[in-house]
Amino acid sequence: MKKVNDADKNAMLDALLAEGEQYTATAFMNTIPSSIDFFSFFGAIGAIIGSFFPDDGFSRRHNGYVGVTNNSINFAILNMYNVTKLQNTVKINFSDITNIKVNDKKTYANVNIWVGKKKYFIQLPKKLLGAKLENQAENASAVAAALSRLTASSVA
């Protein structure tokens, strides 16, 4: 079974770049639902049933990749059953962000992003067992640092 890796990360994120843009930081991430997922109460059967309902990638826990440019944040949300397939993409322009909180810890970084009343919550693990990601710890810290520069005074 194929695992998350740098080649897939770069290919999926590069496809989301606008012309002339480049990433200042990229990393593997987990999306964390901001509210309790109803289907999670039913275990594996709930996960299967829940997969038939629309999911933007942030209403249930997913793996994915995040890339930060000078103007936006791009998310490549991976399919929950096959990490080589892209399930969804989300792009958030810095001008649309109303609030952001970044907490960079030793083993992971948490990022909360508000666009109006919608909340996006991601976690950037610094170590992943079995993954083929070079420098994930440094990359996670680089994403956290790039996003922490977007303080309340610099967001809309």
Side-chain angles (χ1 to χ4, degrees):
M1 181 193 272
K2 195 166 180 188
K3 300 184 186 297
V4 292
N5 60 73
D6 284 319
D8 286 348
K9 175 183 79 170
N10 294 333
M12 289 180 189
L13 286 174
D14 286 349
L16 304 177
L17 283 172
E19 189 173 327
E21 272 188 323
Q22 62 183 10
Y23 290 111
T24 58
T26 63
F28 174 83
M29 63 154 194
N30 300 114
T31 63
I32 311 292
S34 57
S35 61
I36 296 173
D37 178 16
F38 171 76
F39 297 107
S40 66
F41 290 112
F42 301 102
I45 293 172
I48 293 169
I49 293 170
S51 68
F52 292 111
F53 291 87
D55 179 16
D56 65 354
F58 288 89
S59 58
R60 286 192 278 286
R61 188 175 181 96
H62 285 282
N63 293 327
Y65 304 114
V66 59
V68 180
T69 71
N70 289 327
N71 303 313
S72 64
I73 309 165
N74 292 332
F75 299 101
I77 312 297
L78 302 178
N79 182 286
M80 60 188 347
Y81 303 110
N82 184 349
V83 296
T84 63
K85 292 186 179 179
L86 191 62
Q87 177 173 315
N88 197 11
T89 62
V90 175
K91 179 176 186 154
I92 300 174
N93 293 317
F94 290 164
S95 60
D96 296 333
I97 296 173
T98 53
N99 194 10
I100 190 164
K101 290 184 181 174
V102 179
N103 188 3
D104 193 3
K105 298 182 177 184
K106 187 175 182 175
T107 57
Y108 62 91
N110 285 330
V111 180
N112 293 291
I113 303 166
W114 287 267
V115 177
K117 293 186 183 216
K118 179 141 177 79
K119 182 179 179 184
Y120 298 90
F121 180 38
I122 64 169
Q123 192 171 64
L124 304 161
K126 304 244 176 129
K127 185 168 183 157
L128 293 161
L129 297 177
K132 307 232 185 267
L133 295 165
E134 298 266 337
N135 305 317
Q136 172 63 18
E138 294 85 359
N139 292 341
S141 290
V143 168
L147 295 177
S148 67
R149 287 191 277 277
L150 298 174
T151 62
S153 63
S154 66
V155 294

